[in-house]
Amino acid sequence: MVKLVLVLGDQLSMDVHALREADKDCHIVVMAEVAAEAEYVPHHPMKIAFLFTAMRKFAAELREKGWTVAYTTLDDPANAGSIPGELLRRAEEFGAAAVLATEPGEFRLITALQDTPLDVTLLADDRFLCSHQEFEAWAEGRKALRMEYFYREMRRKTGLLMEGDKPEGGKWNFDHENRKPAKQDLFRKGPPKAQGDPVLAEVLDLIDARFGGNFGALRPFPYQTDRAGALRALDHFITHALPEFGAYQDAMLQDDPHLYHAVISLYLNAGLLNVLEICKKAEAAYHAGHAPLNSVEGFIRQIIGWREFMRGIYFLEGPDYTRRNALNHQRKLPSLYWGAETRMNCMAQAIGQTRDLGYAHHIQRLMVTGNFALLAGINPAQVHEWYLAVYVDAYEWVEAPNVVGMSQFADGGVVGSKPYVSSGAYIDRMSDYCKSCHYKVKEKTGETACPFNLLYWHFLIRHRERFEGNPRMAQMYRTFDRMDEGRRKTVLSDADAFLDRMSKGALV
Ligand code: FAD
Ligand code: DLZ
Ligand code: SF4
């Protein structure tokens, strides 16, 4: 009896669980480009182009390895428009009733698969180090879930950077050596350039025609679209950027979107790279004396610590997580997030490169666009949808805990113990953005005061009751209270005026 095996667009690994369990002789692989996935948020055109090209190439590799693949392109007139629809259509076509699938990374799609009238077996996605059960067991009985302790478990489990049961170098975390601002350097190597090919060319034309109106550029298309290319990008990073990764991890520079970042999340999340091969290459670079411990430890922590921790939180917290709004923020996402002109240079830079590349690095996402949305009281569900749409690496399991939890504090403190908010001083310290900004980062009130300065106090005062008792925030309230009364009033009324102008669509 013929059976189907489903491979989703972000499951492009030869050893993904469902393929491991399937049998070439009786399973038909189903892959489908479908409107439902391409349109549930207005994805960046590069994100759809990357996935469709990678899917088509992966299907070709599967065929070369002897699999029968039923692949549906977006423009196929028979396309049923959704993953369950395509499964039903293929089941009828091949006389199959059973489907083997690897658990999707989003509750929406998990439910949709469970609701199909077919006999669907969902297998755990074991491309991750930590299973749902392991995370639940780790979380059980803890008052607060903190990434740092989870990360140590993952170091022990993998043996990465361990000397017996002790961490390499005597410490788990070398972040105090990191966080340096960077200088412009014309010779810094960015990620390797994409090579054009006929599959990519055909997909780019399709995406241009169907999604050309979405926010985001499509050409020049900068990304790799198969495993060989993803491995090239990884090796390029290890050779050229990993040694400086730690020191400049939090730095931001005008017109330098990548600095020393890896730009591999899109490949890793889609299945073209795997967690352990990445971390082992980084670890080997440390042992070979090519990269220092602060960089390698910091990099490995992002992958086996933050990434796995975020996935654990998403599945632990459940399907309502994306609707949380602990701070009751209701302001509409301003049009500047979709590319409308802004005088805030940091926002223009972060959003401009997001438009051009579908990429911004962590600190831009957290301390520029995320920080601004939080300070301005934007509705977190709208912020979540924006991040899910505009980044080429965005899937709900990783995006939602980063946005709803880490960045917007909308989960009330599940991911972080305090909100990530800062005034303009932080952005000024970590970037060169403020030098060419319309606003003055040193000004605290008035028409040209940096909006981050005004909104910072506005946020703290709006949420005084909730945060004043937090020992890590008490100092900020004392600073505010020491200002003279007139100044306190002016800061808050200037902030109100700014928010009002922004909400009315004025240029801010
Ligand atoms: P590098 O800085 O070089 O880091 C190396 C790798 O570590 C990344 O490729 C990524 O796999 C992993 N990593 C680092 N930080 C995190 C993190 N906080 N959570 C999960 N993985 C991490 N990452 C996504 O993959 N998809 C998202 O949709 C996403 N949305 C985010 C939204 C916000 C508001 C914030 C603050 C962070 C978000 N991140 C997301 C995490 C992080 O910003 C990206 O993983 C990173 O910028 C990807 O670029 P890179 O490969 O150059 O990463
Ligand atoms: C993101 C995405 C897009 C844009 N299109 C498809 C698609 O056409 N077919 C497919 O199988 N997967 C696609 N994906 C990835 C899914 O949305 C992803 O599997 C879920 O969000 C779970 O992570
Ligand atoms: Fe951003 Fe303020 Fe600096 Fe302008 S002055 S770049 S708005 S932090």
Side-chain angles (χ1 to χ4, degrees):
M1 176 87 175
V2 173
K3 292 177 184 167
L4 305 181
V5 53
L6 174 68
V7 175
L8 292 167
D10 55 351
Q11 298 179 340
L12 309 180
S13 317
M14 282 297 160
D15 64 347
V16 75
H17 203 163
L19 280 179
R20 272 205 331 271
E21 298 289 320
D23 180 346
K24 282 179 192 160
D25 293 332
C26 58
H27 278 94
I28 293 176
V29 180
V30 174
M31 296 181 71
E33 301 166 5
V34 291
E37 294 308 308
E39 291 170 1
Y40 66 88
V41 287
H43 298 287
H44 195 292
M46 282 175 181
K47 178 181 180 184
I48 315 179
F50 161 68
L51 268 195
F52 284 9
T53 310
M55 284 170 70
R56 289 181 186 197
K57 291 185 178 179
F58 187 75
E61 279 179 55
L62 283 172
R63 286 192 184 113
E64 271 167 35
K65 289 186 191 299
W67 290 93
T68 306
V69 183
Y71 190 99
T72 313
T73 55
L74 190 73
D75 51 4
D76 183 336
N79 193 320
S82 70
I83 296 293
E86 274 297 289
L87 285 173
L88 282 170
R89 186 172 77 86
R90 294 302 192 179
E92 200 174 291
E93 180 181 345
F94 297 109
V99 182
L100 206 49
T102 309
E103 184 186 73
E106 195 176 336
F107 288 112
R108 173 187 59 84
L109 205 47
I110 295 176
T111 311
L113 289 183
Q114 285 165 340
D115 288 349
T116 62
L118 298 164
D119 170 18
V120 179
T121 305
L122 283 185
L123 301 168
D125 189 346
D126 54 11
R127 291 175 298 168
F128 294 89
L129 294 177
C130 185
S131 68
H132 300 333
Q133 293 77 8
E134 260 178 288
F135 194 82
E136 282 158 22
W138 174 80
E140 175 88 38
R142 284 173 194 263
K143 268 217 295 251
L145 305 181
R146 292 296 162 250
M147 193 287 300
E148 190 60 35
Y149 299 107
F150 170 80
Y151 164 58
R152 293 178 192 180
E153 292 298 312
M154 292 300 109
R155 287 275 293 278
R156 289 192 187 95
K157 178 173 176 171
T158 57
L160 285 163
L161 294 179
M162 295 296 291
E163 292 176 288
D165 59 353
K166 299 269 182 320
E168 183 80 32
K171 277 188 306 186
W172 293 101
N173 181 318
F174 291 82
D175 255 358
H176 69 277
E177 294 174 31
N178 298 338
R179 305 189 176 129
K180 293 187 184 145
K183 290 206 171 64
Q184 293 287 352
D185 178 354
L186 289 175
F187 297 104
R188 196 160 20 238
K189 277 194 189 308
K193 298 271 172 293
Q195 288 151 355
D197 62 62
V199 183
L200 175 63
E202 197 181 353
V203 171
L204 289 179
D205 288 343
L206 172 74
I207 303 305
D208 213 358
R210 286 286 292 265
F211 305 102
N214 287 11
F215 171 79
L218 181 60
R219 296 181 171 96
F221 184 83
Y223 297 110
Q224 310 297 321
T225 48
D226 55 21
R227 175 157 164 79
L231 280 169
R232 269 199 307 280
L234 171 62
D235 289 342
H236 183 94
F237 162 71
I238 303 258
T239 307
H240 298 292
L242 177 64
E244 312 288 359
F245 173 85
Y248 301 111
Q249 204 179 332
D250 291 1
M252 297 174 280
L253 281 182
Q254 185 97 18
D255 302 321
D256 188 341
H258 304 113
L259 277 144
Y260 298 101
H261 290 274
V263 197
I264 55 163
S265 48
L266 76 165
Y267 311 126
L268 175 57
N269 295 349
L272 298 180
L273 294 176
N274 82 62
V275 169
L276 279 181
E277 79 184 334
I278 296 172
C279 293
K280 284 189 174 152
K281 283 196 179 195
E283 186 187 39
Y286 164 67
H287 287 306
H290 172 64
L293 188 54
N294 65 307
S295 281
V296 175
E297 184 283 312
F299 178 70
I300 287 178
R301 173 158 28 91
Q302 306 311 311
I303 294 179
I304 68 168
W306 278 112
R307 184 171 183 271
E308 297 278 335
F309 180 72
M310 290 311 203
R311 178 173 184 265
I313 297 279
Y314 177 74
F315 282 101
L316 187 72
E317 291 296 308
D320 80 324
Y321 190 75
T322 53
R323 293 190 294 277
R324 304 231 181 129
N325 190 355
L327 301 180
N328 192 24
H329 281 171
Q330 300 298 351
R331 194 175 300 279
K332 194 169 161 273
L333 188 77
S335 55
L336 63 94
Y337 277 81
W338 297 110
E341 194 186 345
T342 172
R343 289 170 165 157
M344 294 179 277
N345 188 37
C346 52
M347 292 288 280
Q349 288 289 318
I351 293 167
Q353 71 172 71
T354 299
R355 180 196 57 225
D356 295 343
L357 299 166
Y359 178 85
H361 68 68
H362 187 73
I363 289 300
Q364 296 175 305
R365 297 187 205 195
L366 186 64
M367 299 311 290
V368 179
T369 43
N371 185 17
F372 184 80
L374 179 58
L375 294 177
I378 311 293
N379 181 285
Q382 292 185 24
V383 182
H384 150 66
E385 282 194 14
W386 184 78
Y387 278 95
L388 189 56
V390 302
Y391 290 109
V392 287
D393 57 14
Y395 303 92
E396 198 172 278
W397 65 267
V398 56
E399 172 277 334
N402 270 297
V403 174
V404 175
M406 184 191 281
S407 159
Q408 300 302 297
F409 205 80
D411 64 3
V414 177
V415 168
S417 56
K418 79 185 237 320
Y420 279 96
V421 283
S422 80
S423 66
Y426 174 85
I427 296 173
D428 192 30
R429 188 162 68 248
M430 295 315 299
S431 78
D432 59 358
Y433 295 155
C434 301
K435 282 193 301 213
S436 26
C437 185
H438 162 86
Y439 296 104
K440 307 282 171 271
V441 72
K442 301 273 189 264
E443 289 178 16
K444 312 285 187 227
T445 56
E447 284 272 305
T448 51
C450 165
F452 285 78
N453 292 346
L454 301 173
L455 296 177
Y456 178 70
W457 295 119
H458 197 267
F459 172 89
L460 288 177
I461 298 313
R462 276 195 325 261
H463 299 296
R464 185 163 198 149
E465 219 172 291
R466 179 183 280 267
F467 294 124
E468 193 171 27
N470 184 324
R472 295 175 65 202
M473 297 178 75
Q475 177 60 36
M476 303 170 189
Y477 285 98
R478 282 200 290 276
T479 306
F480 185 78
D481 291 341
R482 275 201 299 271
M483 289 181 200
D484 72 63
E485 197 187 335
R487 194 168 171 80
R488 287 198 302 250
K489 278 198 179 136
T490 311
V491 170
L492 297 179
S493 63
D494 284 358
D496 276 327
F498 174 88
L499 289 172
D500 201 41
R501 284 201 306 279
M502 182 178 79
S503 289
K504 286 187 176 131
L507 174 63
V508 290

